[in-house]
Amino acid sequence: MKPIAATAKVTEEIMSNFIRFTGAVLALAIANFASAQGKPEKPDVHIAVGGKAALYYLPLTITEQLGYFKDEGLDVKISDFKGGSAALRAVVGGSADVVAGAYEHTINMHARGQKFQAFVLQGRAPQISIGVSTAKVPNYKSPKDLKGLKIGVSAPGSSTNMFANYVLEKGGLGPKDVSFVGVGTGSAAMSAIQSGQVDVISNVDPIMTMLEKEGTIKVIFESRTPKGTEGVFGGPMPAASFYAPVEFVEKNPNTVQALTNAIVRALLWLETATPQQIIGTVPESYQLGDKAMYLFAYDNVRDAMSKDGLIPEAGAKTALKVLKASNPKVDYSKVNLAETYTNQFAQNALKKYKK
């Protein structure tokens, strides 16, 4: 017969193991329950983007190419337009659900009485540059010299257009003092400035770096980095984001969370990715036939990528200030900046993926 103490010890071990086993089963059940509750309300999501091949939207491309949307239970369709304003019109018209585009569009829409909200940031600097043709504007000295010229932008009303308007304002000029031409963000944009169709170009990388390196343009203003952005705008300026009608965000919180999780995961991947991994992931057609130059352009804007998907309050204030200066006819007095973005979803995503 075993001693009472030994029997008690065995009983204690059995109970301890039973508690651990029960706890593990309970934890698994809770996790499965939470997972079931967190399934996207709308797994089929249609995203509209303006100029997807640009480095401005690299986080979106990485997310798609690495299968992060699928990992979050989403079946994402992406429609590419010439510029962000066209992508926005697709969502306003109901043919797409979410815009991958510049954060400041949410402010513009609020000013017009339509509530849109950004929920994850892809870029913490606009990455937009303005270059004058070295052949057609060889004696450029200040923004005043842009008067009467043709300026190529991705699309009328886009962020590249807004950037140009802001620069014109610095020279005491306005939109009516120039002619804007929509040229997209890819090879057509390069051709427009190379052929002399436009005299000036406001656009994004990699094409701006390529045009600069070949001597076609002289860059006169740039926001490729947070430092460059500070120099142009006087503060941080949120750039590419995911945004959607507030109604969509409120009705589909799990879907929005899944989208945010995927983008934040891509942002964290980009933080440690090697040049070889970048080239191996980005579609070859996006590299415009020159991998080395694409990487050079990426190096120019690498610091512009968001580190965490969060939209800074100071950046929202800068965006409002810039819009007031570049669109003086729009009444922004009733815009509540706190309603134009939320960091709730990005914060949740960081808890899930940031080690």
Side-chain angles (χ1 to χ4, degrees):
M1 185 175 181
K2 292 183 179 180
I4 294 177
T7 302
K9 184 176 181 180
V10 171
T11 302
E12 182 181 347
E13 288 177 355
I14 292 173
M15 288 300 297
S16 178
N17 290 334
F18 176 77
I19 291 171
R20 281 198 295 270
F21 174 76
T22 303
V25 171
L26 181 60
L28 181 61
I30 292 173
N32 288 336
F33 176 77
S35 176
Q37 291 295 299
K39 286 183 178 179
E41 303 88 352
K42 192 179 190 307
D44 297 322
V45 182
H46 189 176
I47 298 174
V49 59
K52 183 171 175 286
L55 284 164
Y56 189 85
Y57 295 113
L58 181 61
L60 170 61
T61 296
I62 296 300
T63 304
E64 179 189 32
Q65 293 297 310
L66 294 182
Y68 291 165
F69 287 130
K70 290 183 179 179
D71 288 350
E72 296 293 335
L74 299 173
D75 183 11
V76 170
K77 174 186 176 183
I78 300 175
S79 293
D80 196 10
F81 297 85
K82 282 189 174 181
S85 56
L88 172 57
R89 285 195 296 272
V91 173
V92 171
S95 61
D97 304 305
V98 174
V99 183
Y103 157 71
E104 69 260 18
H105 284 300
T106 65
I107 300 176
N108 266 332
M109 295 306 288
H110 272 249
R112 291 170 169 78
Q114 297 187 55
K115 300 294 181 70
F116 276 72
Q117 188 174 63
F119 52 85
V120 63
L121 189 67
Q122 297 180 68
R124 58 180 185 154
Q127 303 176 41
I128 302 170
S129 302
I130 294 182
V132 295
S133 168
T134 53
K136 301 189 74 174
V137 196
N139 300 315
Y140 173 86
K141 291 184 176 61
S142 76
K144 292 181 180 179
D145 297 327
L146 299 177
K147 187 172 182 177
L149 300 182
K150 292 181 180 178
I151 302 179
V153 296
S154 58
S158 63
S159 291
T160 53
N161 198 156
M162 178 276 297
F163 190 83
N165 285 346
Y166 189 71
V167 168
L168 289 172
E169 191 266 340
K170 285 177 175 286
L173 304 175
K176 291 184 178 180
D177 293 310
V178 300
S179 298
F180 287 111
V181 180
V183 296
T185 58
S187 56
M190 293 185 71
S191 178
I193 189 78
Q194 289 167 335
S195 65
Q197 179 187 344
V198 296
D199 311 301
V200 184
I201 185 165
S202 175
N203 225 291
V204 292
D205 279 305
I207 69 165
M208 293 302 286
T209 291
M210 292 178 173
L211 290 168
E212 185 180 19
K213 283 297 178 182
E214 70 183 24
T216 300
I217 63 169
K218 174 187 176 183
V219 171
I220 56 173
F221 286 93
E222 62 87 12
S223 59
R224 288 167 167 157
T225 64
K227 183 178 179 181
T229 300
E230 182 91 23
V232 174
F233 298 116
M237 182 76 170
S241 68
F242 270 11
Y243 67 90
V246 169
E247 183 180 7
F248 179 89
V249 176
E250 291 177 345
K251 283 186 175 180
N252 304 282
N254 295 337
T255 302
V256 171
Q257 187 64 65
L259 288 166
T260 304
N261 288 348
I263 288 292
V264 168
R265 190 177 172 192
L267 293 173
L268 296 176
W269 182 89
L270 280 167
E271 277 286 276
T272 59
T274 65
Q276 291 73 24
Q277 287 175 313
I278 297 289
I279 286 295
T281 305
V282 174
E284 192 170 343
S285 61
Y286 290 12
Q287 300 164 31
L288 298 176
D290 194 333
K291 291 183 179 181
M293 188 59 72
Y294 183 88
L295 285 176
F296 188 89
Y298 170 65
D299 195 53
N300 273 348
V301 301
R302 183 169 193 159
D303 201 35
M305 303 298 163
S306 174
K307 308 296 183 184
D308 50 24
L310 300 172
I311 299 170
E313 181 182 358
K317 291 179 178 178
T318 301
L320 179 58
K321 180 195 75 172
V322 171
L323 287 173
K324 285 180 177 179
S326 58
N327 299 316
K329 292 184 179 180
V330 179
D331 181 11
Y332 293 99
S333 61
K334 295 182 180 179
V335 173
N336 180 354
L337 281 179
E339 295 179 349
T340 65
Y341 70 96
T342 175
N343 283 322
Q344 173 191 341
F345 300 102
Q347 288 166 346
N348 292 341
L350 288 169
K351 290 177 184 177
K352 179 175 182 178
Y353 285 116
K354 195 163 187 178
K355 305 299 182 184

Coordinates of all heavy atoms in Angstrom, one line a residue, residues 188-275:
A188 N 3.6 56.1 -70.4 CA 3.0 57.2 -71.1 C 3.4 58.5 -70.6 O 3.5 59.5 -71.3 CB 1.4 57.0 -71.1
A189 N 3.5 58.6 -69.2 CA 4.0 59.8 -68.6 C 5.4 60.2 -69.0 O 5.7 61.3 -69.3 CB 3.9 59.7 -67.1
M190 N 6.2 59.2 -69.1 CA 7.6 59.4 -69.5 C 7.7 59.9 -70.9 O 8.4 60.9 -71.3 CB 8.4 58.1 -69.4 CG 8.7 57.6 -68.0 SD 9.7 56.2 -67.9 CE 11.3 56.9 -68.3
S191 N 6.9 59.3 -71.8 CA 6.8 59.7 -73.2 C 6.3 61.1 -73.4 O 6.8 61.8 -74.3 CB 5.9 58.7 -74.0 OG 5.8 59.1 -75.3
A192 N 5.4 61.5 -72.5 CA 4.8 62.9 -72.6 C 5.8 63.9 -72.4 O 5.8 65.0 -73.2 CB 3.6 63.0 -71.6
I193 N 6.7 63.8 -71.5 CA 7.8 64.8 -71.2 C 8.9 64.6 -72.2 O 9.5 65.6 -72.7 CB 8.2 64.7 -69.8 CG1 9.2 65.9 -69.5 CG2 8.9 63.4 -69.4 CD1 8.4 67.2 -69.2
Q194 N 9.2 63.4 -72.6 CA 10.3 63.1 -73.5 C 10.0 63.7 -74.9 O 10.9 64.2 -75.6 CB 10.6 61.6 -73.6 CG 11.3 61.0 -72.4 CD 11.3 59.5 -72.4 OE1 10.4 58.9 -73.0 NE2 12.2 58.9 -71.6
S195 N 8.7 63.6 -75.3 CA 8.3 64.0 -76.7 C 8.0 65.5 -76.7 O 7.7 66.0 -77.8 CB 7.1 63.2 -77.1 OG 6.0 63.4 -76.3
G196 N 7.9 66.1 -75.6 CA 7.6 67.6 -75.6 C 6.1 67.8 -75.5 O 5.7 69.0 -75.7
Q197 N 5.3 66.8 -75.3 CA 3.8 67.0 -75.1 C 3.5 67.9 -74.0 O 2.6 68.7 -74.0 CB 3.2 65.6 -75.0 CG 1.6 65.7 -74.8 CD 1.0 64.4 -74.5 OE1 1.6 63.3 -74.6 NE2 -0.2 64.4 -74.0
V198 N 4.4 67.8 -72.9 CA 4.2 68.7 -71.7 C 5.6 69.3 -71.5 O 6.6 68.7 -71.8 CB 3.7 67.9 -70.5 CG1 2.3 67.4 -70.7 CG2 4.6 66.8 -70.1
D199 N 5.6 70.4 -70.8 CA 6.8 71.1 -70.5 C 7.4 70.8 -69.1 O 8.6 70.9 -68.8 CB 6.6 72.7 -70.5 CG 5.9 73.1 -71.8 OD1 6.4 72.8 -72.9 OD2 4.8 73.7 -71.7
V200 N 6.4 70.4 -68.2 CA 6.7 70.1 -66.8 C 6.0 68.9 -66.4 O 4.9 68.6 -67.0 CB 6.2 71.3 -65.9 CG1 6.6 71.1 -64.4 CG2 6.8 72.6 -66.4
I201 N 6.5 68.1 -65.5 CA 5.8 66.9 -65.0 C 5.8 66.8 -63.5 O 6.8 67.1 -62.8 CB 6.4 65.6 -65.7 CG1 5.6 64.4 -65.3 CG2 7.9 65.5 -65.2 CD1 5.9 63.2 -66.1
S202 N 4.6 66.6 -63.0 CA 4.4 66.3 -61.5 C 4.0 64.9 -61.4 O 2.9 64.5 -61.8 CB 3.4 67.3 -61.0 OG 3.1 67.0 -59.6
N203 N 4.9 64.0 -60.9 CA 4.6 62.6 -60.9 C 5.4 61.9 -59.8 O 6.1 62.5 -58.9 CB 4.9 62.0 -62.3 CG 3.9 61.1 -62.7 OD1 3.7 60.0 -62.2 ND2 3.1 61.5 -63.8
V204 N 5.4 60.6 -59.8 CA 6.0 59.8 -58.8 C 7.1 58.8 -59.4 O 7.2 58.7 -60.6 CB 4.9 58.9 -58.0 CG1 4.0 59.8 -57.2 CG2 4.1 58.1 -59.0
D205 N 7.8 58.2 -58.5 CA 8.8 57.2 -58.9 C 8.2 55.9 -59.2 O 7.1 55.6 -58.7 CB 9.9 57.1 -57.8 CG 10.9 58.3 -57.8 OD1 11.4 58.5 -58.9 OD2 11.0 59.0 -56.8
P206 N 8.8 55.1 -60.1 CA 10.2 55.2 -60.5 C 10.4 56.1 -61.7 O 11.6 56.4 -62.0 CB 10.6 53.8 -60.9 CG 9.3 53.2 -61.4 CD 8.2 53.8 -60.5
I207 N 9.4 56.6 -62.4 CA 9.6 57.4 -63.6 C 10.3 58.7 -63.4 O 11.1 59.1 -64.2 CB 8.3 57.6 -64.4 CG1 7.4 58.6 -63.7 CG2 7.6 56.3 -64.7 CD1 6.3 59.1 -64.6
M208 N 10.1 59.3 -62.2 CA 10.8 60.6 -62.0 C 12.3 60.4 -61.9 O 13.1 61.2 -62.4 CB 10.2 61.3 -60.8 CG 8.7 61.8 -61.0 SD 8.5 62.9 -62.4 CE 9.2 64.4 -61.8
T209 N 12.7 59.4 -61.2 CA 14.1 59.1 -61.0 C 14.7 58.8 -62.4 O 15.8 59.2 -62.7 CB 14.4 57.9 -60.1 OG1 14.0 58.4 -58.7 CG2 15.8 57.5 -60.1
M210 N 14.0 58.0 -63.2 CA 14.5 57.6 -64.5 C 14.7 58.8 -65.4 O 15.7 59.0 -66.1 CB 13.6 56.6 -65.1 CG 13.6 55.2 -64.4 SD 12.4 54.0 -65.2 CE 12.8 52.6 -64.3
L211 N 13.7 59.7 -65.4 CA 13.7 60.9 -66.2 C 14.9 61.8 -65.8 O 15.5 62.5 -66.6 CB 12.4 61.6 -66.2 CG 11.2 61.0 -66.9 CD1 9.9 61.6 -66.5 CD2 11.4 61.0 -68.4
E212 N 15.0 61.9 -64.5 CA 16.1 62.7 -63.9 C 17.5 62.2 -64.3 O 18.4 63.0 -64.7 CB 15.9 62.8 -62.4 CG 16.9 63.8 -61.7 CD 16.7 63.8 -60.2 OE1 16.1 62.9 -59.6 OE2 17.1 64.8 -59.6
K213 N 17.6 60.9 -64.2 CA 18.9 60.3 -64.5 C 19.3 60.4 -65.9 O 20.5 60.5 -66.2 CB 18.9 58.8 -64.0 CG 19.1 58.7 -62.5 CD 20.4 59.2 -62.0 CE 20.6 59.1 -60.5 NZ 21.9 59.7 -60.1
E214 N 18.3 60.3 -66.8 CA 18.7 60.4 -68.2 C 18.8 61.9 -68.7 O 19.1 62.2 -69.9 CB 17.6 59.7 -69.1 CG 16.3 60.4 -69.1 CD 15.2 59.6 -69.9 OE1 15.4 58.4 -70.0 OE2 14.2 60.2 -70.4
G215 N 18.6 62.8 -67.8 CA 18.7 64.2 -68.1 C 17.6 64.9 -68.8 O 17.7 66.1 -69.2
T216 N 16.4 64.2 -68.9 CA 15.2 64.8 -69.5 C 14.6 65.9 -68.7 O 14.1 66.9 -69.2 CB 14.2 63.7 -69.8 OG1 14.7 62.7 -70.6 CG2 12.9 64.3 -70.4
I217 N 14.7 65.8 -67.4 CA 14.1 66.8 -66.5 C 15.1 67.2 -65.4 O 16.1 66.5 -65.1 CB 12.8 66.2 -65.8 CG1 13.2 65.1 -64.8 CG2 11.7 65.9 -66.7 CD1 12.1 64.7 -63.9
K218 N 14.8 68.4 -64.9 CA 15.5 68.9 -63.7 C 14.4 69.0 -62.6 O 13.4 69.7 -62.7 CB 16.1 70.3 -63.9 CG 16.7 70.9 -62.7 CD 17.2 72.3 -63.0 CE 17.7 73.0 -61.7 NZ 18.0 74.4 -61.9
V219 N 14.6 68.2 -61.5 CA 13.7 68.2 -60.4 C 13.8 69.5 -59.6 O 14.9 69.9 -59.2 CB 13.9 67.0 -59.5 CG1 13.0 67.1 -58.2 CG2 13.5 65.7 -60.2
I220 N 12.7 70.2 -59.5 CA 12.7 71.5 -58.8 C 12.0 71.4 -57.4 O 12.3 72.3 -56.5 CB 12.0 72.6 -59.6 CG1 10.6 72.2 -60.0 CG2 12.8 72.9 -60.9 CD1 9.8 73.3 -60.8
F221 N 11.1 70.5 -57.2 CA 10.5 70.2 -55.9 C 10.3 68.7 -55.7 O 10.0 68.1 -56.7 CB 9.1 70.9 -55.8 CG 9.2 72.4 -55.6 CD1 9.1 73.3 -56.7 CD2 9.4 73.0 -54.4 CE1 9.2 74.6 -56.6 CE2 9.4 74.4 -54.2 CZ 9.3 75.2 -55.4
E222 N 10.5 68.2 -54.5 CA 10.3 66.8 -54.3 C 9.9 66.5 -52.9 O 10.2 67.3 -51.9 CB 11.6 66.0 -54.6 CG 12.8 66.4 -53.8 CD 12.9 65.6 -52.5 OE1 12.2 64.6 -52.3 OE2 13.7 66.0 -51.6
S223 N 9.1 65.5 -52.7 CA 8.6 65.0 -51.4 C 8.9 63.5 -51.3 O 8.0 62.8 -50.8 CB 7.1 65.3 -51.2 OG 6.4 64.7 -52.2
R224 N 10.0 63.1 -51.7 CA 10.4 61.7 -51.8 C 10.7 61.1 -50.4 O 10.7 59.9 -50.1 CB 11.6 61.4 -52.6 CG 11.3 61.6 -54.1 CD 12.6 61.7 -54.9 NE 12.4 61.5 -56.3 CZ 13.3 62.0 -57.3 NH1 14.4 62.6 -56.9 NH2 13.1 61.8 -58.5
T225 N 11.0 62.0 -49.4 CA 11.4 61.6 -48.1 C 10.6 62.5 -47.1 O 10.2 63.5 -47.4 CB 12.9 61.7 -47.9 OG1 13.2 63.1 -47.9 CG2 13.7 61.0 -48.9
P226 N 10.6 62.0 -45.8 CA 10.0 62.9 -44.8 C 10.7 64.2 -44.7 O 10.0 65.3 -44.5 CB 10.1 62.1 -43.5 CG 10.1 60.7 -44.0 CD 10.8 60.7 -45.3
K227 N 12.0 64.3 -44.9 CA 12.7 65.5 -44.8 C 12.4 66.4 -46.0 O 12.2 67.6 -45.8 CB 14.3 65.2 -44.9 CG 15.1 66.5 -44.7 CD 16.6 66.1 -44.7 CE 17.4 67.4 -44.5 NZ 18.9 67.1 -44.5
G228 N 12.3 65.9 -47.2 CA 11.9 66.6 -48.4 C 10.5 67.2 -48.2 O 10.2 68.3 -48.6
T229 N 9.6 66.3 -47.7 CA 8.2 66.7 -47.4 C 8.1 67.9 -46.5 O 7.3 68.8 -46.7 CB 7.4 65.5 -46.9 OG1 7.5 64.4 -47.9 CG2 6.0 65.8 -46.6
E230 N 8.9 67.8 -45.4 CA 8.9 68.9 -44.4 C 9.4 70.2 -45.1 O 8.8 71.3 -44.8 CB 9.9 68.5 -43.3 CG 10.0 69.5 -42.2 CD 9.0 69.3 -41.1 OE1 8.6 68.2 -40.9 OE2 8.7 70.3 -40.4
G231 N 10.3 70.1 -46.0 CA 10.8 71.3 -46.7 C 9.8 71.9 -47.6 O 9.7 73.2 -47.7
V232 N 9.0 71.1 -48.2 CA 7.9 71.6 -49.1 C 6.7 72.1 -48.4 O 6.2 73.2 -48.6 CB 7.5 70.6 -50.2 CG1 6.4 71.1 -51.0 CG2 8.7 70.2 -51.1
F233 N 6.2 71.3 -47.5 CA 4.9 71.5 -46.8 C 5.0 72.1 -45.4 O 4.0 72.5 -44.8 CB 4.1 70.2 -46.8 CG 3.8 69.7 -48.1 CD1 4.2 68.4 -48.5 CD2 2.9 70.4 -49.0 CE1 3.9 67.9 -49.8 CE2 2.6 69.8 -50.3 CZ 3.1 68.6 -50.6
G234 N 6.2 72.1 -44.8 CA 6.3 72.6 -43.5 C 5.9 71.6 -42.4 O 5.7 72.0 -41.2
G235 N 5.7 70.4 -42.7 CA 5.3 69.4 -41.7 C 5.1 68.0 -42.4 O 5.2 67.9 -43.6
P236 N 4.8 67.0 -41.6 CA 4.6 65.7 -42.2 C 3.3 65.6 -43.0 O 2.3 66.4 -42.7 CB 4.4 64.8 -40.9 CG 3.9 65.7 -39.9 CD 4.5 67.0 -40.1
M237 N 3.3 64.8 -44.1 CA 2.2 64.8 -45.0 C 1.8 63.4 -45.3 O 2.5 62.7 -46.1 CB 2.5 65.6 -46.3 CG 1.4 65.6 -47.3 SD 0.1 66.8 -46.9 CE -0.8 66.8 -48.4
P238 N 0.8 62.8 -44.7 CA 0.4 61.4 -45.0 C 0.1 61.3 -46.5 O -0.4 62.2 -47.2 CB -0.9 61.2 -44.2 CG -0.9 62.3 -43.2 CD -0.2 63.4 -43.8
A239 N 0.5 60.1 -47.1 CA 0.3 59.9 -48.5 C -0.6 58.8 -48.8 O -1.8 58.8 -48.4 CB 1.7 59.7 -49.1
A240 N -0.2 57.7 -49.5 CA -1.0 56.6 -49.9 C -1.7 56.0 -48.7 O -1.0 55.7 -47.7 CB -0.3 55.6 -50.7
S241 N -2.9 55.7 -48.8 CA -3.6 55.0 -47.7 C -4.7 54.1 -48.3 O -4.9 54.1 -49.5 CB -4.3 56.1 -46.8 OG -5.4 56.7 -47.5
F242 N -5.4 53.4 -47.4 CA -6.7 52.7 -47.8 C -7.8 53.6 -47.2 O -7.7 53.9 -46.0 CB -6.8 51.3 -47.2 CG -6.2 50.3 -48.1 CD1 -5.4 50.6 -49.3 CD2 -6.4 48.9 -47.8 CE1 -4.9 49.6 -50.1 CE2 -5.9 47.9 -48.6 CZ -5.1 48.2 -49.8
Y243 N -8.7 54.0 -48.0 CA -9.9 54.7 -47.4 C -11.1 54.3 -48.1 O -11.1 53.8 -49.2 CB -9.6 56.3 -47.5 CG -9.6 56.9 -48.9 CD1 -10.8 57.3 -49.4 CD2 -8.4 57.1 -49.6 CE1 -10.8 57.9 -50.7 CE2 -8.4 57.7 -50.8 CZ -9.6 58.1 -51.4 OH -9.6 58.7 -52.6
A244 N -12.2 54.5 -47.4 CA -13.5 54.1 -47.9 C -14.6 54.9 -47.3 O -14.4 55.7 -46.3 CB -13.8 52.6 -47.5
P245 N -15.8 54.9 -47.8 CA -17.0 55.6 -47.2 C -17.1 55.1 -45.7 O -16.9 53.9 -45.4 CB -18.2 55.1 -48.0 CG -17.6 54.8 -49.3 CD -16.3 54.2 -49.0
V246 N -17.4 56.0 -44.8 CA -17.5 55.7 -43.4 C -18.5 54.6 -43.2 O -18.4 53.7 -42.4 CB -17.9 57.0 -42.6 CG1 -18.3 56.6 -41.2 CG2 -16.8 58.0 -42.6
E247 N -19.6 54.6 -44.0 CA -20.6 53.6 -43.9 C -20.0 52.2 -44.1 O -20.4 51.2 -43.4 CB -21.7 53.9 -44.9 CG -22.9 52.9 -44.8 CD -24.0 53.2 -45.8 OE1 -23.8 54.1 -46.7 OE2 -25.1 52.5 -45.8
F248 N -19.1 52.1 -45.1 CA -18.5 50.8 -45.4 C -17.6 50.3 -44.2 O -17.7 49.2 -43.8 CB -17.6 50.9 -46.6 CG -16.9 49.6 -47.0 CD1 -17.5 48.7 -47.8 CD2 -15.6 49.3 -46.5 CE1 -16.9 47.5 -48.2 CE2 -15.0 48.1 -46.8 CZ -15.6 47.2 -47.7
V249 N -16.9 51.3 -43.6 CA -16.0 50.9 -42.5 C -16.8 50.5 -41.3 O -16.5 49.5 -40.6 CB -15.2 52.2 -42.1 CG1 -14.3 51.9 -40.9 CG2 -14.3 52.6 -43.3
E250 N -18.0 51.1 -41.0 CA -18.8 50.8 -39.9 C -19.5 49.5 -40.1 O -19.7 48.7 -39.1 CB -19.8 51.9 -39.6 CG -19.1 53.2 -39.1 CD -20.1 54.4 -38.9 OE1 -21.2 54.3 -39.5 OE2 -19.7 55.4 -38.3
K251 N -19.9 49.2 -41.3 CA -20.7 48.0 -41.6 C -19.8 46.7 -41.7 O -20.2 45.6 -41.5 CB -21.5 48.1 -42.9 CG -22.8 49.0 -42.7 CD -23.6 48.9 -44.0 CE -24.9 49.6 -43.9 NZ -25.7 49.6 -45.1
N252 N -18.5 47.0 -42.0 CA -17.6 45.9 -42.3 C -16.3 46.0 -41.5 O -15.2 45.9 -42.1 CB -17.3 45.8 -43.8 CG -18.5 45.7 -44.7 OD1 -19.1 44.6 -44.8 ND2 -18.9 46.8 -45.3
P253 N -16.4 46.0 -40.2 CA -15.2 46.2 -39.4 C -14.2 45.1 -39.5 O -13.0 45.3 -39.5 CB -15.7 46.4 -38.0 CG -17.0 45.7 -38.0 CD -17.6 46.0 -39.3
N254 N -14.7 43.8 -39.6 CA -13.8 42.7 -39.8 C -13.1 42.7 -41.1 O -11.9 42.3 -41.2 CB -14.5 41.4 -39.6 CG -15.1 41.2 -38.2 OD1 -14.6 41.8 -37.2 ND2 -16.2 40.5 -38.0
T255 N -13.8 43.1 -42.1 CA -13.2 43.2 -43.5 C -12.1 44.3 -43.5 O -11.0 44.1 -44.0 CB -14.3 43.6 -44.5 OG1 -15.3 42.6 -44.5 CG2 -13.7 43.7 -45.9
V256 N -12.4 45.4 -42.9 CA -11.4 46.5 -42.8 C -10.2 46.1 -42.0 O -9.1 46.4 -42.4 CB -12.1 47.8 -42.2 CG1 -11.1 48.9 -41.9 CG2 -13.2 48.3 -43.2
Q257 N -10.5 45.4 -40.9 CA -9.4 44.9 -40.1 C -8.5 43.9 -40.9 O -7.3 44.0 -40.8 CB -9.9 44.2 -38.9 CG -8.8 43.8 -37.9 CD -8.1 45.0 -37.3 OE1 -8.6 45.8 -36.6 NE2 -6.8 45.1 -37.6
A258 N -9.1 43.1 -41.7 CA -8.3 42.1 -42.5 C -7.5 42.8 -43.6 O -6.3 42.5 -43.8 CB -9.3 41.1 -43.2
L259 N -8.1 43.9 -44.2 CA -7.3 44.7 -45.2 C -6.1 45.3 -44.5 O -5.0 45.4 -45.0 CB -8.2 45.7 -45.8 CG -9.3 45.2 -46.8 CD1 -10.3 46.3 -47.1 CD2 -8.6 44.8 -48.1
T260 N -6.4 45.9 -43.3 CA -5.3 46.6 -42.6 C -4.2 45.6 -42.1 O -3.0 45.9 -42.2 CB -5.9 47.3 -41.3 OG1 -7.0 48.2 -41.8 CG2 -4.9 48.1 -40.6
N261 N -4.6 44.4 -41.6 CA -3.7 43.4 -41.2 C -2.7 43.1 -42.4 O -1.5 43.0 -42.2 CB -4.4 42.1 -40.8 CG -5.1 42.3 -39.5 OD1 -4.9 43.2 -38.8 ND2 -5.9 41.3 -39.2
A262 N -3.3 42.9 -43.6 CA -2.5 42.6 -44.7 C -1.5 43.7 -45.1 O -0.3 43.4 -45.4 CB -3.4 42.3 -45.9
I263 N -1.9 44.9 -45.1 CA -1.0 46.0 -45.4 C 0.1 46.2 -44.4 O 1.2 46.4 -44.7 CB -1.8 47.3 -45.6 CG1 -2.6 47.3 -46.9 CG2 -0.9 48.5 -45.6 CD1 -1.8 47.3 -48.2
V264 N -0.3 46.2 -43.1 CA 0.7 46.3 -42.0 C 1.7 45.2 -42.1 O 2.9 45.5 -41.9 CB 0.0 46.4 -40.7 CG1 1.0 46.3 -39.5 CG2 -0.8 47.7 -40.5
R265 N 1.3 44.0 -42.4 CA 2.2 42.9 -42.5 C 3.2 43.2 -43.7 O 4.4 42.9 -43.5 CB 1.4 41.6 -42.8 CG 2.3 40.4 -42.8 CD 1.4 39.2 -43.0 NE 2.1 37.9 -43.1 CZ 1.6 36.8 -43.6 NH1 0.3 36.7 -43.9 NH2 2.4 35.7 -43.7
A266 N 2.7 43.8 -44.8 CA 3.6 44.1 -45.9 C 4.6 45.2 -45.5 O 5.8 45.2 -45.9 CB 2.8 44.5 -47.1
L267 N 4.1 46.2 -44.8 CA 5.0 47.3 -44.3 C 6.1 46.8 -43.5 O 7.3 47.2 -43.6 CB 4.2 48.3 -43.5 CG 3.1 49.1 -44.3 CD1 2.3 50.0 -43.4 CD2 3.8 50.0 -45.4
L268 N 5.8 45.9 -42.6 CA 6.8 45.3 -41.7 C 7.8 44.4 -42.5 O 9.0 44.4 -42.2 CB 6.2 44.4 -40.6 CG 5.3 45.2 -39.6 CD1 4.6 44.3 -38.7 CD2 6.1 46.2 -38.9
W269 N 7.3 43.8 -43.6 CA 8.2 43.0 -44.5 C 9.1 43.9 -45.2 O 10.3 43.6 -45.3 CB 7.3 42.2 -45.5 CG 8.1 41.4 -46.4 CD1 8.4 40.1 -46.3 CD2 8.6 41.7 -47.7 NE1 9.1 39.6 -47.4 CE2 9.2 40.6 -48.3 CE3 8.6 42.9 -48.5 CZ2 9.8 40.6 -49.6 CZ3 9.2 42.9 -49.7 CH2 9.8 41.8 -50.3
L270 N 8.7 45.1 -45.6 CA 9.5 46.0 -46.4 C 10.6 46.6 -45.5 O 11.7 47.0 -46.0 CB 8.6 47.2 -46.9 CG 7.9 46.9 -48.2 CD1 6.8 48.0 -48.4 CD2 8.8 46.8 -49.4
E271 N 10.4 46.6 -44.2 CA 11.4 47.2 -43.3 C 12.7 46.4 -43.3 O 13.8 46.9 -43.1 CB 10.8 47.1 -41.8 CG 10.0 48.3 -41.5 CD 10.8 49.6 -41.3 OE1 11.3 49.8 -40.2 OE2 10.9 50.4 -42.3
T272 N 12.6 45.1 -43.6 CA 13.8 44.3 -43.6 C 14.1 43.6 -44.9 O 15.1 42.9 -45.0 CB 13.7 43.1 -42.5 OG1 12.5 42.3 -42.8 CG2 13.5 43.7 -41.1
A273 N 13.3 43.9 -45.9 CA 13.5 43.3 -47.3 C 14.8 43.7 -47.9 O 15.2 44.9 -47.8 CB 12.3 43.6 -48.2
T274 N 15.5 42.8 -48.6 CA 16.7 43.1 -49.3 C 16.3 43.6 -50.7 O 15.2 43.3 -51.2 CB 17.6 41.9 -49.4 OG1 16.9 40.9 -50.2 CG2 17.9 41.3 -48.1
P275 N 17.2 44.2 -51.4 CA 17.0 44.6 -52.8 C 16.6 43.4 -53.7 O 15.7 43.5 -54.6 CB 18.3 45.2 -53.3 CG 18.9 45.8 -52.0 CD 18.5 44.8 -51.0

